[in-house]
Amino acid sequence: MSKMIKNIEKIAPDEEILEGTFKSNFFRSDIDDELSVCIRNGEIIDYAEKCIEHFNSLPDDVIDKICEGIIESCEEEYELENVRDILEYCWFTSMAVDVPENDGISYVIDGEGEWGEVVGFVIKDGSLAYVGIDFEEYL
């Protein structure tokens, strides 16, 4: 049984894709600190929890790089005192976890900006690989 992932259920009875929710330590949804997690194979719940642990312990410099990438991909201009202020104008909804290609931690986080554009970031092998609007190619 999962310690971090709550409300786990199959999306479709004939598929191995599971969906659940987890608490985010830093990034927020448009409502609260709970995000959904889509696990593309029911056999990798333990791996999904490792991804959540990684996500919830992203270092400050990576969070700042994510914020900088969101600002660069944003179509609006906001008056921001620091890069993290962009998080007042966007939110995150879910994490997608697929069967790992190797031992590294990899996942995709997606959300939306109040400017109407979908935005996300990709962690590949434990490092920030992409931030912006074209993250779907990593799903």
Side-chain angles (χ1 to χ4, degrees), residues 54-67:
H54 183 273
F55 172 73
N56 276 334
S57 60
L58 287 171
D60 285 340
D61 65 319
V62 173
I63 292 171
D64 289 346
K65 286 179 187 171
I66 291 167
C67 292

Side-chain angles (χ1 to χ4, degrees), residues 18-47:
L18 302 176
E19 191 169 86
T21 58
F22 70 96
K23 293 281 185 189
S24 170
N25 289 346
F26 184 79
F27 294 98
R28 302 286 180 247
S29 73
D30 59 337
I31 300 169
D32 58 20
D33 61 353
E34 199 165 83
L35 290 112
S36 68
V37 57
C38 179
I39 305 165
R40 306 220 187 246
N41 180 320
E43 302 292 315
I44 62 168
I45 290 177
D46 290 342
Y47 174 73

Side-chain angles (χ1 to χ4, degrees), residues 101-119:
E101 296 173 11
N102 53 38
D103 291 339
I105 296 292
S106 300
Y107 53 89
V108 177
I109 301 291
D110 72 276
E112 187 175 343
E114 74 170 22
W115 55 92
E117 194 78 55
V118 175
V119 67

Side-chain angles (χ1 to χ4, degrees), residues 32-137:
D32 58 20
D33 61 353
E34 199 165 83
L35 290 112
S36 68
V37 57
C38 179
I39 305 165
R40 306 220 187 246
N41 180 320
E43 302 292 315
I44 62 168
I45 290 177
D46 290 342
Y47 174 73
E49 288 200 337
K50 288 179 184 176
C51 292
I52 291 169
E53 285 176 17
H54 183 273
F55 172 73
N56 276 334
S57 60
L58 287 171
D60 285 340
D61 65 319
V62 173
I63 292 171
D64 289 346
K65 286 179 187 171
I66 291 167
C67 292
E68 289 167 4
I70 293 169
I71 292 167
E72 288 174 18
S73 67
C74 175
E75 294 179 3
E76 299 287 325
E77 287 199 28
Y78 296 99
E79 287 191 35
L80 308 172
E81 289 186 28
N82 67 63
V83 293
R84 292 187 184 197
D85 288 349
I86 192 64
L87 297 176
E88 295 175 26
Y89 304 100
C90 63
W91 53 91
F92 296 91
T93 55
S94 64
M95 170 187 282
V97 178
D98 210 337
V99 178
E101 296 173 11
N102 53 38
D103 291 339
I105 296 292
S106 300
Y107 53 89
V108 177
I109 301 291
D110 72 276
E112 187 175 343
E114 74 170 22
W115 55 92
E117 194 78 55
V118 175
V119 67
F121 60 92
V122 178
I123 300 293
K124 217 42 161 170
D125 294 325
S127 298
L128 183 62
Y130 178 82
V131 180
I133 59 174
D134 294 323
F135 64 92
E136 285 91 358
E137 68 186 66

